[in-house]
Amino acid sequence: KAGVTQTPRYLIKTRGQQVTLSCSPISGHRSVSWYQQTPGQGLQFLFEYFSETQRNKGNFPGRFSGRQFSNSRSEMNVSTLELGDSALYLCASSGRTGLPDTQYFGPGTRLTVL
Amino acid sequence: AQSVTQLDSHVSVSEGTPVLLRCNYSSSYSPSLFWYVQHPNKGLQLLLKYTSAATLVKGINGFEAEFKKSETSFHLTKPSAHMSDAAEYFCVVSLSGNTGKLIFGQGTTLQVKP
């Protein structure tokens, strides 16, 4: 069974640009969560989507946004990139039923902002 | 507020000796607790999870953890370390009823010496 996939795996952008990251969940999973991992702040929750609706949101500025499509694939977008946005962005999928369930992570997208 | 504290940022053991990675949690609700492992430049892999069934939880690769409510602890152990266990380990709490949001500890780097 295919796991969570994320594309692209690596990205280099410059300050002020925007970026879109993609996540394809495990087949049948309906929940996708996004996390940012940095050496200084560790792993922090960005947001979660379930059945195309944002269900939870972390404490990130509005420059960080996301969406989910009817096939459960999800994208996150970061506008007006800042140097501090350089991080590993991980997505995780879970939840065939909407109840609390184990999250399975993808390999991540490494974003470097110059 | 819910939180997770990993008591050691770095643990070093010799191959073949026991591993103990310590984790304390704080939660007003009945939490689900997890241990994930992250190898360099990889995503997060689930080692084991506790969801209010047996307090001693067995995971993959010989790891296990014991949930102790009185001590609010969820320490990870392995009887005999292998070189391939060298990685970063995260203790994670998921809030009951709050699906999709995981709170991560700061991580413990496990070094295994030959």
Side-chain angles (χ1 to χ4, degrees), chain B residues 5 8-9 14 16 26 32 35 37 40 42 60 70 72 82 87 93 96-99 101:
Chain B
T5 301
D8 306 290
S9 60
S14 297
S26 171
S32 293
W35 277 97
V37 61
K42 296 288 180 66
I60 62 171
S70 61
T72 61
H82 191 273
V93 63
S96 175
N98 191 338
T99 62
K101 179 176 181 178

Side-chain angles (χ1 to χ4, degrees), chain A residues 33 37 48 55-56 102-103, chain B residues 36 38 49 98-100 102:
Chain A
S33 298
Q37 185 176 24
E48 181 214 5
R55 190 159 66 170
N56 281 291
T102 302
Q103 294 190 25
Chain B
Y36 283 86
Q38 186 176 35
K49 66 177 180 179
N98 191 338
T99 62
L102 298 180

Side-chain angles (χ1 to χ4, degrees), chain B residues 6 21 37 48 51 54 59 61 64 81 97 100 107 113:
Chain B
Q6 292 183 242
L21 305 183
V37 61
L48 49 81
T51 54
N61 300 335
E64 63 181 37
K113 297 177 290 186

Side-chain angles (χ1 to χ4, degrees), chain B residues 73-101:
Chain B
S73 69
F74 190 58
H75 301 335
L76 181 70
T77 61
K78 183 174 180 178
S80 177
H82 191 273
M83 295 297 291
S84 61
D85 294 329
E88 188 156 21
Y89 291 79
F90 293 94
C91 182
V92 182
V93 63
S94 172
L95 307 179
S96 175
N98 191 338
T99 62
K101 179 176 181 178

Side-chain angles (χ1 to χ4, degrees), chain A residues 4 9 41-43 45 49 72 85 96-97 103 106 112-113:
Chain A
V4 178
R9 293 292 311 279
Q41 299 299 317
L43 277 146
F45 173 76
Y49 286 85
S72 294
D85 297 333
R96 292 178 174 81
T97 66
Q103 294 190 25
T112 302
V113 182

